[in-house]
Amino acid sequence: MGIKTTAGNLHLFGIRHHGPGCARSLVRALATLQPDCVLIEGPPEADALLTLAAADGMEPPVALLLYAPDEPSRAAFYPFAEFSPEWQAMRLAVQAGVPARFMDLPQTHALALEKEREAVTPVTSPEDAMAESAPVAAIEDDPVLRHDPLGWLGQAAGYGGGEEWWEHTVEQRQDGAELFTAIAEAMTAVRAETPPLADPFRARREALREAHMRKTIRAAQKEGRERIAVVCGAWHVPALAQMPGVSADNELLKGLPKLKVEATWIPWTYDRLAAESGYGAGVDSPAWYEHLWRRGGRADPAAWFARVARLLRDAEIDCSSAHLIECVRLAETLAAVRNRPGPGLTDLLEAAGTVLTTGEDAPLRLIRRELIIGRRLGQVAPETPTVPLQRDLERRCKTLRLTRSPTREPLELDLRKDHDLARSQFLYRLRLLRIPWGEVTQTQGGKGTFRETWALQWPPEFALAVIEAAPYGNTVAEAAAALARRTAAEAHDLPALTELVSQLLLADLPAALADAMRALENRAALTGDIPQLMTAIPPLAQVSRYGDVRQTAVAQVLHVLDGLIVRVCIGLGVACRALDDEAAASMAGRISRLHAAIKLVERPDHRDAWLRALQQIADADSVHHQVQGRIARLLFDEHCETAGDVADRMSRALSRAAAPEAAAAWLEGFLSDGGIILAHDDALFGLLDQWVTGLSADHFIQVLPLVRRTFSTFPWPTRRQIGERVQRDADRAPIASTGATLGDSWDLARAEALIPVLSLILGIGAESP
């Protein structure tokens, strides 16, 4: 039974949020008490939603979302699991037809107070808001006693921390008749020893919360309720057991600021319920607590280790029946040695670490992720109030057979199929709404680009993102188009607009695309920044390849693309002059990306104009050597120059007359795409080999550090492949690339003498990588 106050009709049940032992004892106590009113720590704005706790289709973990409709990002979350005492209290009250209501400080005041605070402190993220709304304080800058009272009690009792102490003292306790009296006594002692809060805002917020709880209790008493059950965090019990005068609480609550607030239920996940997610009232082991709840508070080592075995075998980790038998025996032995009623989580993990892991951490990390924290995603009842956009999103998900999951799941799409094409367009529309449910991890299929691979993951916070997007429209397509128009109107640079245009094409929103294209053309006409124009072209070139398979007209894009490419070809020479090292490296990367983009467009006139521009820059003065090296390589790959022409460029760039820094930059630009192509491209390998073998001894010593600097950037396996190729070519006779025969003037002894030197250049040999 809960602690009974002097009022006689008031029974206080101090609980630990998300504690299965408290939930089990609370169910027993409420069945004995048969209350005629249940008051629960929670937001009063959600009173109308309490009945949904017992509705069909409501599957925890779920959370109450409180948000300001005019500022949806200003929100608070109240999560509940199946084993949360508050959840059980709600369900019992609804099923028994007993009036139930929430009694915490209304979020209409709490969010308004937080808004006032932001005038002097940074804006909190949604994760911070979740921690702020946590019913139990978890404050980093306050004394240890207040920050973690359970931890203090656990250490005083000889345990490693509060979580372990609570589990063995409360969660596995079978007789909970006097549990709440003991909790109240412990919290009274802890609060008596706890210094005041150092943060004035938090101190005021806690005082306001407890004042409003008392106000709600008084209102229930005035209604004539005879058996009032109050379910609240254990920390608040002493403040509710001894009530101050009514006038004191009314004075505290007078004149509080207000915000318009709405409430709804949303799905939640166990990983967001865990303490390590940053949730202030979180627990260390949600999935383990679910195991305890469903088995009446007693851990079942055999059943739990059977789940461990299934998990490890699915991950292709060895786990035999003998392993499991030894794990169960060891866990029970550890519990007996520690004088505990049964194995707890600590005992089970120690047994698993000893028997199953053979000294490796990976299996234990997997067990913790899947069986201790868990990946469960809750579900709300169909009648839960939602915004129209949310309802349209759910309809589309059902039509397209897309399942929202908190874990990362792959999705393969064949864009030649109407159903898969509609899925792709839907996911791109959500991305336009800043709801990145999926991201493309791979696009295959050659020139057709008809295959997409997505990675889908739906965290609970996306429910808030949907609400934030709701003002833009009642359907996903309508809202995405409206938000895209606003983004286009506010965009200040060309790359952002081109990225938006590409997203609109992939999302198949033609009306919004027309508006974005007009903004793009206007911005491009006014922009003289060549690097911006270069950055804008690749996204447009990429989406121009989707026209046929996506059944999307890309004529508008090609029209803009034509103008951008011409302007870049005209202005590139000037943009490449007088660059420092950092700007040159950035320009070389842009040139490479733009080269690949122009090849995608497959327009001979663009290709010819681009290559002419590159040849002019390759021969120009005042152009950074890294840029010239990159251009020389592109011209060589496109067969615009013969191997002899490129060899002459290389000899001039790396000659004795060239400054070492300039020579190193040229070579770095020439080989900047890594060494794997060098290892397999006969023409490129022969060109570099011809240049190295043609150096005199003195010149070779001079350029050796430059060559080593470039080759050191290659991965070790690539350097090894290059070295093996050098060895094969040295052992091969005749050498096919020169047409030489054994009868020619080749001195094999001298050729073999080059191998140690080449090994030194490539950084291979006796040394380890």
Side-chain angles (χ1 to χ4, degrees):
M1 189 71 64
I3 176 173
K4 189 173 182 179
T5 67
T6 55
N9 60 356
L10 183 63
H11 302 264
L12 302 178
F13 298 94
I15 51 91
R16 186 192 185 194
H17 304 286
H18 318 305
C22 281
R24 190 172 54 254
S25 298
L26 179 64
V27 170
R28 222 180 272 133
L30 291 179
T32 302
L33 177 63
Q34 293 294 309
D36 59 359
C37 179
V38 178
L39 304 181
I40 303 168
E41 182 181 336
E45 295 91 345
D47 282 349
L49 302 177
L50 271 168
T51 56
L52 292 176
D56 292 338
M58 188 70 90
E59 297 178 8
V62 292
L64 283 170
L65 168 61
L66 285 297
Y67 65 95
D70 297 332
E71 302 176 72
S73 60
R74 195 173 300 283
F77 303 87
Y78 283 77
F80 302 98
E82 178 185 7
F83 46 81
S84 299
E86 303 96 324
W87 179 258
Q88 292 301 320
M90 287 183 234
R91 288 179 58 83
L92 288 172
V94 172
Q95 290 169 352
V98 174
R101 67 193 67 155
F102 289 119
M103 62 176 186
D104 207 343
L105 180 68
Q107 284 297 315
T108 186
H109 300 312
L111 294 179
L113 289 169
E114 186 64 34
K115 184 176 181 179
E116 287 186 352
R117 188 190 189 195
E118 288 172 6
V120 292
T121 57
V123 179
T124 56
S125 66
E127 291 80 4
D128 295 332
M130 180 181 70
E132 288 290 330
S133 67
V136 171
I139 304 162
E140 295 181 359
D141 58 352
D142 287 317
V144 172
L145 203 57
R146 180 180 288 277
H147 171 66
D148 186 13
L150 298 181
W152 184 82
L153 288 172
Q155 291 177 4
Y159 287 83
E163 186 88 10
E164 184 181 356
W165 170 78
W166 188 272
E167 180 187 339
H168 291 287
T169 307
V170 177
E171 304 306 348
Q172 294 192 29
R173 182 170 175 161
Q174 296 303 297
D175 181 11
E178 303 300 325
L179 173 65
F180 299 106
T181 301
I183 291 174
E185 292 175 356
M187 288 299 106
T188 301
V190 169
R191 285 189 68 139
E193 299 293 330
T194 304
L197 280 163
D199 184 347
F201 174 81
R202 293 181 185 275
R204 183 189 181 202
R205 184 172 182 269
E206 181 173 297
L208 290 172
R209 292 181 64 198
E210 291 176 345
H212 196 274
M213 292 179 190
R214 292 190 290 264
K215 181 179 179 180
T216 308
I217 291 172
R218 294 188 187 102
Q221 290 172 332
K222 286 184 179 180
E223 293 173 2
R225 304 295 180 182
E226 298 179 355
R227 297 178 304 281
I228 303 172
V230 175
V231 181
C232 63
W235 179 261
H236 302 297
V237 168
L240 304 183
Q242 300 295 329
M243 293 196 190
V246 176
S247 59
D249 286 342
N250 289 341
E251 186 65 26
L252 272 176
L253 297 170
K254 184 173 64 176
L256 293 179
K258 292 184 178 181
L259 277 180
K260 182 181 177 182
V261 170
E262 294 184 5
T264 187
W265 287 105
I266 63 171
W268 207 247
T269 61
Y270 275 171
D271 60 341
R272 289 293 190 273
L273 197 67
E276 66 182 36
S277 71
Y279 172 41
V283 293
D284 287 346
S285 45
W288 166 252
Y289 276 2
E290 178 191 277
H291 172 82
L292 286 180
W293 169 256
R294 294 185 175 181
R295 295 184 179 275
R298 288 286 190 185
D300 185 341
W304 194 77
F305 277 115
R307 296 175 62 195
V308 169
R310 189 180 307 114
L311 175 67
L312 295 181
R313 290 165 183 168
D314 289 343
E316 299 183 353
I317 298 175
D318 182 42
C319 183
S320 67
S321 300
H323 283 126
L324 302 184
I325 294 171
E326 289 304 315
C327 282
V328 173
R329 288 176 177 171
L330 180 55
E332 292 175 343
T333 301
L334 288 172
V337 168
R338 291 164 176 163
N339 196 27
R340 294 173 179 171
L345 182 58
T346 302
D347 305 317
L348 297 176
L349 286 179
E350 288 184 12
T354 302
V355 177
L356 297 177
T357 66
T358 64
E360 298 180 4
D361 291 336
L364 283 180
R365 288 198 300 268
L366 179 63
I367 292 171
R368 173 166 180 77
R369 186 174 66 246
E370 301 292 339
L371 299 182
I372 298 177
I373 294 179
R375 295 179 179 272
R376 183 181 296 276
L377 173 66
Q379 181 177 325
V380 299
E383 58 266 34
T384 301
T386 58
V387 294
L389 179 63
Q390 175 72 34
R391 291 193 290 271
D392 180 68
L393 187 150
E394 292 173 354
R395 283 194 298 268
R396 294 292 295 160
C397 287
K398 185 176 181 180
T399 301
L400 297 173
R401 296 196 296 277
L402 290 171
T403 303
R404 287 171 286 180
S405 169
T407 60
R408 194 176 176 89
E409 303 287 348
L411 176 67
E412 297 279 349
L413 298 180
D414 185 342
L415 300 180
R416 296 170 297 184
K417 300 178 180 178
D418 292 342
H419 182 74
D420 283 0
L421 179 59
R423 284 174 157 190
S424 177
Q425 292 167 349
F426 177 68
L427 293 171
Y428 275 113
R429 290 172 182 177
L430 288 178
R431 292 185 67 85
L432 285 168
L433 288 173
R434 299 164 189 166
I435 305 173
W437 181 10
E439 62 178 13
V440 177
T441 58
Q442 191 175 4
T443 301
Q444 299 175 341
K447 293 183 178 181
T449 59
F450 58 82
R451 190 170 300 279
E452 279 183 347
T453 302
W454 290 76
L456 305 185
Q457 186 173 21
W458 185 277
E461 291 82 359
F462 280 1
L464 182 58
V466 173
I467 292 172
E468 290 178 337
Y472 295 101
N474 293 335
T475 67
V476 172
E478 178 185 331
L483 184 54
R485 290 189 181 95
R486 176 177 174 179
T487 304
E490 296 175 350
H492 297 296
D493 60 9
L494 203 58
L497 273 173
T498 55
E499 181 63 28
L500 177 62
V501 166
S502 69
Q503 293 290 312
L504 287 168
L505 273 167
L506 300 175
D508 190 27
L509 296 172
L513 174 63
D515 294 338
M517 288 300 301
R518 281 193 294 271
L520 175 60
E521 289 185 89
N522 294 336
R523 177 67 61 180
L526 298 174
T527 298
D529 188 337
I530 296 300
Q532 269 205 25
L533 295 173
M534 295 174 70
T535 306
I537 291 174
L540 297 179
Q542 181 69 26
V543 298
S544 70
R545 296 292 300 276
Y546 282 79
D548 294 336
V549 70
R550 287 186 172 271
Q551 305 167 19
T552 302
V554 294
Q556 289 177 293
V557 174
L558 292 174
H559 172 70
V560 175
L561 201 56
D562 290 344
L564 293 178
I565 292 175
V566 170
R567 292 180 62 190
V568 168
C569 291
I570 294 172
L572 185 61
V574 176
C576 290
R577 296 179 185 273
L579 301 176
D580 59 20
D581 291 344
E582 183 178 352
S586 178
M587 178 58 73
R590 288 193 189 95
I591 289 174
S592 295
R593 291 189 291 272
L594 182 54
H595 181 77
I598 291 175
K599 290 175 67 177
L600 274 179
V601 177
E602 294 183 331
R603 291 279 296 273
D605 53 338
H606 289 329
R607 179 181 180 276
D608 294 343
W610 170 247
L611 294 177
R612 284 196 301 271
L614 293 183
Q615 286 176 321
Q616 292 172 0
I617 298 170
D619 297 323
D621 298 328
S622 302
V623 175
H624 198 281
H625 291 80
Q626 184 173 353
V627 174
Q628 288 188 320
R630 181 69 258 175
I631 289 175
R633 172 63 182 281
L634 295 177
L635 294 174
F636 177 71
D637 290 344
E638 294 298 321
H639 306 290
C640 295
E641 294 186 344
T642 66
D645 295 334
V646 178
D648 290 342
R649 287 188 188 279
M650 182 178 291
S651 297
R652 291 195 300 271
L654 306 179
S655 66
R656 293 174 182 269
E661 297 82 2
W666 194 96
L667 189 61
E668 182 178 349
F670 190 80
L671 298 175
S672 61
D673 55 358
I676 190 67
I677 297 178
L678 178 61
H680 297 283
D681 189 313
D682 293 338
L684 182 60
F685 184 89
L687 176 66
L688 195 61
D689 181 62
Q690 179 184 357
W691 171 73
V692 172
T693 56
L695 296 174
S696 65
D698 292 342
H699 193 191
F700 176 79
I701 294 173
Q702 181 182 355
V703 301
L704 177 59
L706 310 180
V707 179
R708 280 186 64 90
R709 168 179 156 175
T710 300
F711 274 73
S712 66
T713 62
F714 299 164
W716 168 252
T718 299
R719 285 160 32 207
R720 182 170 183 174
Q721 288 181 10
I722 296 172
E724 290 172 348
R725 173 159 186 174
V726 171
Q727 180 70 52
R728 288 197 306 270
D729 287 357
D731 292 342
R732 187 186 304 130
I735 299 177
S737 61
T738 62
T741 64
L742 287 174
D744 292 335
S745 56
W746 284 93
D747 189 332
L748 294 180
R750 292 181 63 189
E752 291 176 354
L754 286 174
I755 294 175
V757 179
L758 289 172
S759 298
L760 182 63
I761 295 173
L762 300 173
I764 62 176
E767 298 179 355
S768 60

